[in-house]
Amino acid sequence: PDRQPLGQNLCFLMFATLLVWSCSALYLIAFPLHLAEQPTLSADWSGVLFGLAAALEIPIMLLSASMLKRWGKKTQMQAAMLCGMMFYVGIYFSQSFIPLMLLQIFNAIFIAIIATVGMFWFQDLLQHRQGMAATLYTNSMSIGVLLAGVLQGIITTVSPLAIWPAACVLLVMSLLLITKVDNV
């Protein structure tokens, strides 16, 4: 079977990762504002919810790394993006603390796998250029955060709640890009 050239795989992965980190940054920017604007929620909860997700991410990262041979990078990344979509849809519909707390499991899976497997995938594509792999991965995060800031300003003019469907659209785009990357 024809394999895509390295450059094409790398571009697809770079843009997919950039979009994923844009979603994550949109969440970090918009979530406290979202909580403050909902009559039954409080912005005071954002730190607890952020902390819960962060605490869950470490064991998930370790599990994800140990399961790479069994599930593969592409499968794990695709599953992570689906978890991200479930998370953002859940935020959109959640009206109380407990569902938001439970949704942090999906957020932790999403971020942990993207952070771990995403970096491994860049390193596998650039096996003999590890410094370049780390630089591209880190740059995809930085550019994603910048893009999120711009998107936040544009999207919230429509509606503050529009952030969550927009994040899902970005994840669908990212998922489509990931499907085009050859497994390494």
Side-chain angles (χ1 to χ4, degrees), residues 14-24 147 170 173-174 177:
M14 178 78 178
F15 284 117
T17 306
L18 183 149
L19 293 174
V20 163
W21 289 118
S22 292
C23 293
S24 177
L147 180 61
L170 293 176
M173 291 167 52
S174 185
L177 287 166

Side-chain angles (χ1 to χ4, degrees), residues 44-76:
D44 295 339
W45 297 342
S46 58
V48 172
L49 295 169
F50 287 159
L52 176 60
L56 293 171
E57 285 170 19
I58 301 300
I60 295 168
M61 284 177 173
L62 296 172
L63 178 64
S64 172
S66 70
M67 299 303 289
L68 272 173
K69 287 188 178 168
R70 174 182 258 183
W71 293 333
K73 290 177 284 300
K74 184 184 279 192
T75 301
Q76 284 195 44

Side-chain angles (χ1 to χ4, degrees), residues 33-140:
L33 301 172
H34 171 78
L35 292 177
E37 290 183 0
Q38 302 302 312
T40 59
L41 301 173
S42 168
D44 295 339
W45 297 342
S46 58
V48 172
L49 295 169
F50 287 159
L52 176 60
L56 293 171
E57 285 170 19
I58 301 300
I60 295 168
M61 284 177 173
L62 296 172
L63 178 64
S64 172
S66 70
M67 299 303 289
L68 272 173
K69 287 188 178 168
R70 174 182 258 183
W71 293 333
K73 290 177 284 300
K74 184 184 279 192
T75 301
Q76 284 195 44
M77 292 280 278
Q78 290 169 328
M81 289 175 201
L82 292 174
C83 284
M85 286 181 227
M86 288 188 277
F87 175 64
Y88 296 126
V89 167
I91 289 174
Y92 184 83
F93 290 107
S94 291
Q95 297 295 314
S96 65
F97 181 74
I98 298 298
L100 288 171
M101 191 172 71
L102 294 172
L103 284 168
Q104 294 307 312
I105 296 166
F106 292 105
N107 185 30
I109 293 168
F110 170 56
I111 297 301
I113 291 175
I114 296 303
T116 305
V117 176
M119 184 65 210
F120 287 154
W121 211 349
F122 272 90
Q123 289 174 342
D124 286 350
L125 286 174
L126 295 163
Q127 288 179 3
H128 303 292
R129 301 179 84 183
Q130 296 299 311
M132 179 182 267
T135 300
L136 287 174
Y137 182 75
T138 304
N139 285 342
S140 74

